[in-house]
Amino acid sequence: MNPIRVIGIIAAAMLAMFSLTGCWDSYDVEKNRYVTAMGFDYADHQYAVYAQMIDFANVAKQEKGKSDSPAVSFIGKGQGLTVNLAANNLYLTSQQRILWSHITSIVMTEAALKEGVKEFEDAYDRFHDTRYTQWVYGTWENIESMFSTPDFFNMSSLTSILHEPTSNYKQRSWIEPISWLHFLADILEPGKTVILPTLSVNQKQWKKNRDPEPKLQINGAFIISGKVLKGWLSYDQLIGLRWMNPATKRTPLPIVDGDQMLGVLSVESPSLKIAETFGRGMPRYKITLSVKGNVVEMKDDANVERMTQIAKTLIQKEVRETFAHALALNADIYQLDYHTYLHHYGMWKQLEKEGTIHVNEQSLESIDVKIKLMHSGILRDFVKE
Amino acid sequence: MLPKGSISILQAFMLLIMAIGLDNHVTIIPLLLHTANKDSWISVILVLPFCLLWTLIPYWIAKKTRQTNILKWLRTHTHPALALLLILPFLFFFLMNAFVTFKEVILWTKVSFLPETPILATALSLLALCVYSAFKGIRSIAICAGILLPFVWVLGYFVMTANIEFKRYTLLFPLFTNSFSSIAACMMYAASSFIEVFVLVLLQHHIRSKFKWYHIMILVLIISGLTIGPLTGAIATFGYKSDQIRYPAFEQWRLVRIGDYFSHVDFLSIYQWLSGAFIRISLMLYLVADLISKSNRSRQYSIAISAGILLLLAIMPIISDMLYLRIVKWYYICAFAIILFSSFWLLFTVLWIPSKKRAGA
């Protein structure tokens, strides 16, 4: 072989070996500081960025079993004139390199949402480490106390609804958790209303032995449309939302007749059909709602036909109730306007040009509810004589 | 007379799927989204029939010239100066093409996963590899493409199916919310990457088997699938947000998550992107040499010199990022004009010349 060629090959191999093995961008895993959740706040012309870090001793599976000491979370707060400066401010005390690529949750305060999601989003997503897969929440409360609320059994907050809300939502579907990705896409979608669940700390429900044990809870939702924060609705005010969301997996419906409690249905998988008519320029919507359900609790003097009948009127009532609460905030909670945008774009554009509010009290023309009862649980007395 | 080439038609296809696929999978998608956001995917579908019809032009050219070297053919059948009319615009096109690809991949490496590695290190290693394979010739580039492509393909399907949980296809609608001019511009950008298959005419003497009329059509169909897939994917996941994302295809990789413990697999996209860039740059360097040199020696010089120019342009801070994005836009318009214009005048030449010769004989 030609000696020049041999030298060439060796030089190329050396170049590849020494320059591409990651010498510049390699870090020791144990020295990285992994941020698991971020909080955004805004006060007095200052942006605040909160970072939650978790001691991995309470996360990773260990041979000796689970930890017997409570999970430790570290919560840092950085402040600055912009979002990036606020995050940068955390480096002052972070000791080692912070890694932003494993964040699984973002929490925004009301002030931050009022200031505009765009400000936070730009700085957050422009940076190469971050992704779009996080869950996002709003909150009224102090982010520091939220980030330090642990899960049960000395487990860290990584298994709480802050980081993993889906299994909880499947057992009691009320307000659907939303990912950062869908949150950002929906904000930009014309005619769409974004329902951002809000987190709070419930101090009362659980005790650890005798001491109160705080737990995270979804207590309502911020309503955002047209990139503007319209307001907040409580958990109870959003009672009808679950019927209008096909994602609903399981939700309880107490059957009350006057002042008499007949039993409880567990309702699932609503499917929606929206028919739209245009009278006097304003769209009106006829909704057909089919749900499946099963009996989970039944009083002695109840019968199934009566329960289904009452369930229908209850669902209608709840749907209208939430619709009215949202209208008070000038919000269209059931995405009716978005339906027009998708299916009658020309009409929607016309409405947009006229600048009128697209949805009002008359918009919801009718709600037709169909219930299919699948089973009555594992007790026998389905049909009462 | 059968064309004497060193690669088969299948190899040529894999070569072009890799080379053009990178461009219309990665580089062009942000431009399409920026031009017509939600209407971009329908624009691609609308322009497709025209492109399919157009593929008959390169087919006729190849047929009439019997897949001989097109430059040689022009020199012998027409005035030699006419060959220059093909060489000059395509020289510019190939060099620009290689530059855009090279700059894009180097920049992406820097901003997305190797922020602290100097550009010189990544640029030099990639370029050295491309120069080496361009030296080795079309056959070795084609063989590399054949080895790399199946994995690129499998990974592409993996990311597509893994992300179904995030996709909401209603976000693709409503259609035609943009002005006609932006839809037309979008159609042109998409077409400019599809008609890149015209390089087959410049490669035709290397291809062993004869083209059939449907060959190039199938190629364009496959390539259009490579655009429509990630484009609809990006809109269905990010909605209007996709317009603001610099690397929408890569960003889809970063979402992949299977169960609780499997995520952060975007490193696999590095394989896809680098193999595409490697094939594309090698092919462009090779084609530059093929255009301007006759001897083996001058071939090596022209590859080395063009690679040197690429390296300088990409690593010297002459071209800022903003300027680069503007160049990309103009590059697609130029590519569209060059290829379309060349294809038409070549077609008229090949249709006219033999009949004249036959008449004279």
Side-chain angles (χ1 to χ4, degrees):
Chain A
M1 225 176 175
N2 184 343
I4 297 176
R5 227 173 137 167
V6 175
I7 294 171
I9 291 173
I10 294 174
M14 289 289 178
L15 178 75
M17 262 163 60
F18 291 116
S19 66
L20 295 176
T21 43
C23 297
W24 284 287
D25 281 283
S26 105
Y27 295 93
D28 297 330
V29 179
E30 67 274 16
K31 283 187 192 154
N32 285 333
R33 305 291 189 239
Y34 294 95
V35 173
T36 50
M38 271 183 101
F40 294 132
D41 196 4
Y42 180 80
D44 309 323
H45 306 287
Q46 288 253 325
Y47 292 89
V49 167
Y50 293 85
Q52 179 203 44
M53 296 197 289
I54 305 252
D55 182 0
F56 283 136
N58 299 84
V59 177
K61 288 202 174 70
Q62 290 177 338
E63 250 171 53
K64 67 178 170 68
K66 67 175 169 49
S67 166
D68 46 10
S69 57
V72 184
S73 340
F74 297 86
I75 298 114
K77 180 186 181 184
Q79 274 181 310
L81 288 171
T82 71
V83 180
N84 180 276
L85 290 175
N88 213 288
N89 189 238
L90 284 168
Y91 294 146
L92 267 180
T93 49
S94 61
Q95 314 302 325
Q96 293 282 338
R97 183 168 178 261
I98 290 189
L99 236 90
W100 306 93
S101 57
H102 287 68
I103 299 172
T104 47
S105 187
I106 294 171
V107 180
M108 300 187 77
T109 61
E110 195 208 9
L113 287 167
K114 271 199 180 138
E115 180 59 19
V117 175
K118 181 77 197 136
E119 307 286 322
F120 295 92
E121 192 263 321
D122 186 274
Y124 184 78
D125 289 322
R126 197 176 284 277
F127 189 56
H128 67 95
D129 246 12
T130 52
R131 282 146 208 261
Y132 288 92
T133 46
Q134 300 78 18
W135 297 106
V136 54
Y137 289 103
T139 190
W140 288 98
E141 292 181 29
N142 180 337
I143 288 183
E144 285 168 355
S145 70
M146 185 139 316
F147 280 179
S148 56
T149 307
D151 189 16
F152 291 98
F153 322 122
N154 293 339
M155 302 234 273
S156 74
S157 111
L158 272 187
T159 46
S160 69
I161 50 173
L162 175 66
H163 295 276
E164 274 184 18
T166 40
S167 60
N168 183 252
Y169 177 71
K170 278 181 190 162
Q171 275 203 318
R172 187 180 163 96
S173 311
W174 208 280
I175 303 166
E176 194 188 358
I178 185 169
S179 67
W180 184 237
L181 171 77
H182 289 174
F183 176 67
L184 295 176
D186 286 355
I187 281 183
L188 294 175
E189 203 66 16
K192 193 132 189 177
T193 307
V194 183
I195 300 155
L196 178 68
T198 52
L199 274 184
S200 67
V201 181
N202 183 328
Q203 306 274 6
K204 290 182 207 137
Q205 194 150 29
W206 293 87
K207 293 266 186 308
K208 184 180 179 182
N209 296 332
R210 295 198 168 173
D211 311 322
E213 170 82 355
K215 286 286 164 273
L216 290 177
Q217 178 194 348
I218 292 177
N219 67 337
F222 283 123
I223 313 294
I224 302 165
S225 73
K227 296 175 194 158
V228 179
L229 178 64
K230 297 280 183 179
W232 182 78
L233 291 177
S234 73
Y235 195 84
D236 292 333
Q237 285 173 320
L238 286 168
I239 194 164
L241 182 63
R242 50 197 181 141
W243 309 122
M244 298 293 283
N245 186 353
T248 294
K249 277 272 168 2
R250 188 164 182 263
T251 190
L253 177 66
I255 308 293
V256 192
D257 186 16
D259 51 0
Q260 189 193 10
M261 180 60 90
L262 296 178
V264 179
L265 295 185
S266 172
V267 186
E268 59 187 80
S269 357
S271 80
L272 283 175
K273 273 202 193 97
I274 302 178
E276 213 169 322
T277 52
F278 294 94
R280 273 171 287 129
M282 285 294 277
R284 306 189 75 191
Y285 306 87
K286 283 184 185 167
I287 291 165
T288 316
L289 176 65
S290 330
V291 295
K292 289 179 202 157
N294 55 279
V295 180
V296 286
E297 203 175 346
M298 213 165 162
K299 299 281 178 201
D300 281 341
D301 46 358
N303 76 56
V304 174
E305 285 74 35
R306 189 148 156 247
M307 281 175 80
T308 350
Q309 206 48 51
I310 293 168
K312 280 184 189 173
T313 52
L314 278 177
I315 290 176
Q316 280 173 348
K317 192 181 126 250
E318 289 179 2
V319 169
R320 287 209 179 270
E321 210 177 293
T322 299
F323 184 70
H325 284 305
L327 266 191
L329 302 175
N330 264 327
D332 155 38
I333 191 110
Y334 298 138
Q335 321 288 1
L336 298 177
D337 189 32
Y338 188 62
H339 188 269
T340 313
Y341 172 74
L342 274 184
H343 300 280
H344 306 275
Y345 178 68
M347 200 68 206
W348 184 87
K349 225 169 129 187
Q350 192 68 33
L351 288 171
E352 191 77 354
K353 212 181 273 169
E354 287 162 13
T356 46
I357 298 163
H358 305 184
V359 173
N360 58 26
E361 297 81 24
Q362 279 89 47
S363 301
L364 204 54
E365 194 173 327
S366 66
I367 307 156
D368 185 20
V369 184
K370 291 177 180 147
I371 299 182
K372 205 168 163 192
L373 282 185
M374 311 302 282
H375 62 86
S376 60
I378 51 174
L379 289 181
R380 268 201 69 240
D381 51 350
F382 185 74
V383 186
K384 295 265 163 72
E385 299 305 326
Chain B
M1 188 190 91
L2 270 171
K4 278 193 217 136
S6 51
I7 59 174
S8 69
I9 193 114
L10 182 69
Q11 280 180 309
F13 269 34
M14 293 202 281
L15 187 66
L16 287 186
I17 290 173
M18 280 296 268
I20 305 175
L22 172 82
D23 170 72
N24 68 5
H25 219 62
V26 173
T27 322
I28 207 167
I29 285 179
L31 187 61
L32 296 181
L33 284 167
H34 188 68
T35 315
N37 46 61
K38 282 193 178 179
D39 290 332
S40 55
W41 66 277
I42 195 79
S43 319
V44 175
I45 290 174
L46 286 177
V47 81
L48 189 57
F50 297 103
C51 292
L52 289 177
L53 212 60
W54 171 89
T55 58
L56 292 173
I57 296 181
Y59 165 69
W60 275 323
I61 296 173
K63 197 180 166 198
K64 293 281 173 188
T65 56
R66 293 164 186 263
Q67 283 178 237
T68 51
N69 187 330
I70 189 83
L71 295 173
K72 241 182 226 161
W73 188 91
L74 279 174
R75 285 192 191 110
T76 51
H77 287 69
T78 65
H79 193 270
L82 211 54
L84 270 183
L85 193 58
L86 196 66
I87 292 174
L88 290 177
F90 272 92
L91 199 59
F92 170 75
F93 168 66
F94 290 150
L95 281 174
M96 274 302 288
N97 201 325
F99 166 70
V100 167
T101 311
F102 188 55
K103 176 94 182 170
E104 180 94 356
V105 69
I106 294 302
L107 203 70
W108 168 69
T109 310
K110 181 82 181 170
V111 301
S112 64
F113 58 91
L114 289 181
E116 284 174 46
T117 305
I119 280 180
L120 187 63
T122 47
L124 211 55
S125 345
L126 177 63
L127 205 60
L129 206 61
C130 295
V131 168
Y132 182 71
S133 65
F135 272 4
K136 286 286 164 189
I138 189 76
R139 200 172 139 80
S140 70
I141 304 175
I143 291 172
C144 285
I147 296 170
L148 295 171
L149 180 65
F151 299 101
V152 174
W153 203 297
V154 168
L155 289 174
Y157 276 94
F158 167 68
V159 67
M160 184 182 86
T161 42
N163 276 343
I164 281 180
E165 59 167 319
F166 298 111
K167 288 180 186 162
R168 297 177 297 172
Y169 281 98
T170 49
L171 289 184
L172 294 176
F173 301 99
L175 289 178
F176 305 113
T177 53
N178 289 276
S179 66
F180 175 73
S181 63
S182 51
I183 292 177
C186 196
M187 285 167 75
M188 189 202 65
Y189 290 136
S192 79
S193 91
F194 295 161
I195 62 178
E196 253 184 45
V197 295
F198 192 72
V199 295
L200 270 177
V201 170
L202 292 149
L203 277 176
Q204 58 179 357
H205 52 289
H206 295 297
I207 296 168
R208 215 181 295 135
S209 31
K210 262 187 172 170
F211 294 142
K212 297 267 190 323
W213 64 271
Y214 52 83
H215 276 152
I216 310 180
M217 276 190 195
I218 293 175
L219 184 60
V220 168
L221 266 181
I222 294 173
I223 288 170
S224 70
L226 290 180
T227 301
I228 295 169
L231 187 60
T232 49
I235 301 173
T237 29
F238 300 106
Y240 280 112
K241 178 74 198 159
S242 57
D243 164 22
Q244 300 163 12
I245 293 173
R246 173 128 193 205
Y247 305 112
F250 174 58
E251 205 62 63
Q252 291 181 60
W253 263 106
R254 288 155 52 90
L255 300 178
V256 173
R257 183 187 162 99
I258 298 176
D260 282 343
Y261 303 107
F262 186 85
S263 61
H264 293 72
V265 290
D266 31 312
F267 61 87
L268 291 170
S269 73
I270 300 173
Y271 168 82
Q272 284 188 311
W273 200 325
L274 281 186
S275 38
F278 161 64
I279 296 294
R280 190 172 169 89
I281 298 168
S282 308
L283 180 66
M284 292 306 139
L285 289 178
Y286 177 81
L287 284 171
V288 165
D290 215 30
L291 274 185
I292 53 177
S293 19
K294 286 181 190 111
S295 72
N296 223 1
R297 186 113 230 140
S298 72
R299 182 182 284 274
Q300 294 195 348
Y301 278 129
S302 44
I303 291 174
I305 291 169
S306 9
I309 297 172
L310 283 188
L311 190 65
L312 280 181
L313 282 178
I315 60 166
M316 302 277 272
I318 333 168
I319 296 173
S320 72
D321 197 25
M322 307 299 154
L323 181 62
Y324 166 74
L325 288 177
R326 220 172 303 147
I327 289 176
V328 169
K329 210 167 172 176
W330 279 104
Y331 156 72
Y332 281 109
I333 297 171
C334 285
F336 182 72
I338 288 174
I339 296 176
L340 210 61
F341 173 69
S342 310
S343 67
F344 278 112
W345 78 253
L346 260 181
L347 177 72
F348 290 129
T349 319
V350 296
L351 288 180
W352 182 60
I353 293 292
S355 61
K356 200 183 81 174
K357 284 229 157 160
R358 240 176 279 131

